[in-house]
């Protein structure tokens, strides 16, 4: 089937945060230029992670086509069974489906680029078969890209005998790292950089291939990460970078009733008085930790909205679920004592909540999408990272940018249940809450976040940094077929 419009092929990783980011940047591209259309290829993970309900909730867009290129669930599960190679094997297992779709559905002279998630780098091979340039869509911070390139260079230049010196799993060093103004504590390095393992070797092999692409689109804006972006520009080690921050997704799908109940409660609260606690797609805590959070909230005397989720069974990769009765994990009488100043819910519409004028603080896991949403809504963060590169995001927010306060920066959630549960005490949580919510609009962190919110708004207006970057990117796409 020939397509008249220049077409992009987007391939996101199967996680909800990656798919949602790809959808938002796709819509932004299409709304900016009518010449383009996009096929967004979906690789279904057996655990789904909320991707299908999210996709079903989206409004139709005439030039955005969702294409299921999934393999059968048995094969997918087998490919995911190797804990070192799981995501890489899973992506490689979809190459033939991607190849088949492009060959049969996109005219050879109309495909103007493959836009690949940071973990789908091996799809460069398929793009090369069709003679089409590849771009990376980097869903994390520029600082994480700089850190990854820094450690990739160190490892590439080391011989086999030297490689072990880049294992920081037991290190308390503070390191000078590309993209950071401050010395960076080795103990909060993201897992691939912290130790030399088969999975970290695969990760840095992928990072090395970024240099084969025509450009890197980063889910950020220039004013937020000016230092990291300038560091990468000066280092001249990657292709053209396009910092383009997203339009936050506020679609609620089939959860209209829950959303209405939450908004009705927020409407009755004073401006900037509510602390919102929400920990992302996989965020949940054991009962012992839940009780510490509850004690901290009650002692702090601040109004709160808490998205409380039940963790999956130990060792299972599943989404947290809502409690049938949250009282089973909360201190006795907690709901009665906090009635009127607090509301405990299950799922919560994060962007809608952060956009509400009653919300004045956000206790967050520091997933990058959540960071951007919070900044763009002008809500300061209390940083409680859980996994992936979230500890680095927390360091960036607290130490580099001054847009957050710390709860526990080196906290790591053990999803496999192999180590004793690490408890953050009520005292630690309460202290951070009070610091975050103190002094109203005069709070220094709040003032900085409000200033950055305004910069994010200006960045997407005509002549702004993200607007300009987006226009340059689109013209580069179009040039590939002209």
């Amino acid at each position: 089937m020939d397509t008249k419009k220049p077409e992009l092929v987007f391939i996101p990783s199967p996680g909800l945060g990656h798919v949602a980011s790809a959808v938002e940047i796709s819509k932004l591209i299409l709304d900016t230029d009518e010449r383009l259309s996009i096929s967004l290829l979906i690789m279904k993970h057996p655990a789904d992670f909320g991707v299908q309900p999210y996709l079903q909730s989206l409004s139709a867009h005439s030039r955005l086509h969702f294409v299921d290129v999934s393999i059968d669930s048995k094969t997918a599960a087998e490919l995911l069974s190797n804990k070192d190679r799981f995501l890489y094997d899973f992506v490689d297992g979809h190459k033939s489906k991607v190849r088949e779709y492009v060959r049969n559905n996109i005219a050879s002279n109309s495909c103007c680029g493959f836009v690949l998630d940071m973990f789908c780098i091996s799809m460069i091979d398929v793009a090369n078969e069709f003679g089409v340039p590849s771009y990376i869509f980097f869903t994390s911070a520029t600082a994480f890209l700089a850190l990854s390139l820094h450690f990739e260079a160190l490892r590439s230049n080391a011989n086999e005998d030297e490689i072990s010196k880049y294992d920081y799993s037991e290190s308390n060093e503070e390191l000078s790292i590309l993209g950071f103004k401050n010395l960076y504590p080795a103990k909060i390095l993201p897992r691939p950089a912290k130790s030399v393992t088969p999975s970290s070797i695969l990760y840095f092999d992928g990072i090395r291939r970024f240099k084969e692409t025509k450009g890197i689109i980063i889910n950020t804006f220039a004013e937020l990460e000016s230092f990291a972006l300038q560091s990468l520009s000066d280092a001249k080690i990657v292709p053209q970078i396009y910092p383009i921050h997203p339009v936050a997704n506020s679609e609620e799908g089939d959860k209209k009733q829950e959303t209405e109940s939450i908004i009705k409660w927020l409407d009755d609260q004073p401006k900037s008085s509510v602390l919102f606690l929400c920990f992302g797609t996989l965020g949940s805590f054991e009962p012992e930790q839940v009780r510490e959070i509850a004690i901290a909230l009650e002692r702090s005397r601040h109004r709160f909205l808490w998205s409380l989720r039940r963790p999956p069974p130990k060792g299972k990769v599943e989404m947290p679920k809502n409690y049938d009765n949250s009282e089973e994990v909360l201190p006795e009488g907690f709901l009665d004592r906090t009635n009127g100043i607090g509301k405990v819910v299950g799922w919560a519409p994060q962007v809608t909540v952060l956009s509400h004028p009653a919300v004045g603080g956000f206790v967050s896991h520091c997933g990058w999408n959540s960071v951007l949403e919070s900044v763009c809504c002008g809500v300061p963060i209390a940083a409680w990272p859980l996994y992936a590169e979230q500890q680095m995001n927390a360091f960036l927010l607290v130490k580099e940018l001054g847009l957050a306060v710390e709860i526990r920066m080196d906290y790591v959630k053990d999803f496999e249940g192999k180590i004793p549960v690490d408890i953050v005490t009520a005292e630690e949580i309460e202290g951070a809450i009070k610091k975050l919510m103190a002094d109203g609009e005069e709070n220094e962190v709040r003032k900085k976040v409000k200033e950055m919110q305004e910069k994010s708004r200006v960045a997407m207006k005509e002549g702004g940094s993200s607007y300009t970057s987006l226009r340059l990117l689109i013209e580069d796409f179009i040039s590939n077929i002209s």
Side-chain angles (χ1 to χ4, degrees):
M1 177 180 76
D2 280 5
T3 56
K4 293 179 182 176
K5 291 183 179 296
E7 184 150 5
L8 289 165
V9 175
F10 263 74
I11 308 179
S13 292
L16 179 57
H18 292 258
V19 172
S21 295
V23 169
E24 294 307 317
I25 195 76
S26 296
K27 290 194 294 188
L28 191 57
I29 289 167
L30 297 178
D31 291 344
T32 303
D33 198 302
E34 294 182 354
R35 292 174 292 177
L36 291 161
S37 65
I38 292 175
S39 289
L40 198 150
L41 311 191
I42 301 295
M43 303 179 288
K44 287 182 184 171
H45 191 288
D48 187 58
F49 300 123
V51 170
Q52 292 311 306
Y54 164 74
L55 292 174
Q56 289 159 14
S57 78
L58 297 172
S59 308
H61 194 299
S62 62
R63 290 178 288 121
L64 177 57
H65 314 291
F66 295 101
V67 182
D68 187 348
V69 292
S70 302
I71 55 180
D72 68 274
S73 56
K74 183 170 182 275
T75 303
E78 288 171 359
L79 290 172
L80 289 162
S81 63
N82 184 316
K83 288 189 177 180
D84 290 322
R85 299 193 53 88
F86 70 106
L87 194 52
Y88 303 97
D89 286 350
F90 178 81
V91 170
D92 284 349
H94 289 76
K95 280 183 175 178
S96 61
K97 289 270 193 176
V98 171
R99 190 179 292 116
E100 181 184 351
Y101 172 77
V102 174
R103 183 183 295 120
N104 295 337
N105 294 278
I106 300 178
S108 59
N109 61 349
S110 70
C111 186
C112 59
F114 275 43
V115 181
L116 309 174
D117 185 274
M118 54 199 280
F119 293 113
C120 298
I121 192 73
S122 66
M123 289 290 177
I124 286 178
D125 301 335
V126 181
N128 288 346
E129 290 172 27
F130 289 98
V132 174
S134 296
Y135 299 78
I136 297 296
F137 178 42
F138 198 77
T139 53
S140 296
T142 311
F144 184 48
L145 175 59
L147 181 148
S148 298
L149 289 162
H150 176 90
F151 284 97
E152 186 278 320
L154 288 177
R155 292 189 182 199
S156 290
N157 294 328
N159 59 43
E160 280 189 30
D161 296 331
E162 295 175 320
I163 200 79
S164 61
K165 75 179 181 181
Y166 298 116
D167 190 311
Y168 297 99
S169 52
E170 303 296 327
S171 174
N172 287 314
E173 291 177 71
E174 291 197 324
L175 308 169
S176 178
I177 295 176
L178 180 70
F180 291 86
K181 289 180 279 191
N182 296 288
L183 291 175
Y184 189 100
K187 67 179 181 179
I188 60 166
L189 281 170
R191 185 180 289 182
K194 197 169 190 177
S195 53
V196 180
T197 63
S199 60
S200 75
I201 290 167
L202 283 167
Y203 176 76
F204 287 114
D205 285 347
I207 292 294
R208 194 173 303 117
R209 294 199 71 184
F210 280 23
K211 298 163 192 175
E212 299 174 35
T213 66
K214 198 178 179 196
I216 302 175
I217 309 156
I218 307 183
N219 195 21
T220 192
F221 59 102
E223 292 77 6
L224 180 64
E225 293 196 90
S226 56
F227 185 84
L229 285 163
Q230 189 61 51
S231 297
L232 284 177
S233 176
D234 293 345
K236 295 182 171 57
I237 52 175
V238 284
Q240 179 70 39
I241 288 176
Y242 300 93
I244 303 169
H245 81 298
V247 178
N249 170 43
S250 58
E251 296 181 282
E252 66 208 27
D254 59 354
K255 296 188 168 71
K256 190 175 180 185
Q257 191 173 347
E258 292 102 312
T259 299
E260 286 177 353
S261 168
I262 290 167
I263 297 307
K264 186 173 184 299
W265 184 82
L266 286 171
D267 285 344
D268 293 332
Q269 311 307 317
K271 183 183 177 185
S272 300
S273 67
V274 175
L275 179 73
F276 178 41
L277 298 90
C278 190
F279 297 92
T281 310
L282 299 177
S284 62
F285 293 104
E286 298 305 313
E288 308 96 300
Q289 185 63 76
V290 170
R291 284 191 283 274
E292 294 294 315
I293 297 171
I295 292 166
L297 288 171
E298 191 172 352
R299 284 183 189 162
S300 78
R301 300 178 179 241
H302 284 288
R303 297 169 191 270
F304 65 87
L305 174 68
W306 182 5
S307 174
L308 176 60
R309 313 295 302 280
R310 181 195 293 278
K314 288 287 184 192
K316 287 213 169 184
V317 182
E318 292 177 5
M319 295 264 288
K321 295 181 171 60
N322 290 350
Y323 283 97
D324 295 327
N325 178 12
S326 60
E327 288 185 272
E328 66 184 82
V329 288
L330 292 167
E332 188 175 348
F334 173 80
L335 293 178
D336 291 332
R337 292 192 300 275
T338 57
N339 185 32
I341 68 159
K343 185 175 179 66
V344 178
V345 299
W347 171 89
Q350 184 166 291
V351 176
T352 303
V353 170
L354 289 171
S355 302
H356 197 284
V359 175
F362 183 27
V363 178
S364 172
H365 65 308
C366 299
W368 190 241
N369 286 345
S370 294
V371 168
L372 288 171
E373 288 162 7
S374 196
V375 168
C376 292
C377 292
V379 179
I381 289 174
W384 189 342
L386 302 181
Y387 59 94
E389 87 286 12
Q390 292 163 10
Q391 288 76 21
M392 189 223 75
N393 292 344
F395 181 84
L396 177 67
L397 288 169
V398 176
K399 301 296 186 184
E400 297 275 305
L401 304 177
L403 300 175
V405 302
E406 176 185 355
I407 291 181
R408 170 99 58 92
M409 204 182 295
D410 61 354
Y411 184 90
V412 178
K413 183 172 175 63
D414 173 33
F415 287 98
E416 296 179 5
K418 290 182 176 177
I419 58 176
V421 177
D422 183 14
I423 299 295
V424 180
T425 66
E427 288 73 22
E428 288 176 84
I429 302 164
E430 182 190 358
I433 289 172
K434 286 184 171 178
K435 189 175 178 183
L436 185 71
M437 302 299 282
D439 303 324
E441 298 303 315
E442 294 306 306
N443 182 300
E444 285 303 315
V445 174
R446 186 181 310 282
K447 285 201 284 191
K448 282 187 179 179
V449 173
K450 292 290 186 188
E451 288 167 7
M452 196 58 73
Q453 177 190 24
E454 177 59 17
K455 289 177 181 178
S456 78
R457 188 186 66 80
V458 172
M460 277 309 298
K461 291 178 70 174
E462 187 169 353
S465 62
S466 288
Y467 177 94
T468 302
S469 199
L470 177 60
R471 293 279 175 172
L472 289 170
L473 174 65
I474 289 170
E475 290 309 317
D476 196 63
F477 287 150
I478 298 294
S479 74
N480 293 329
I481 57 168
S482 58

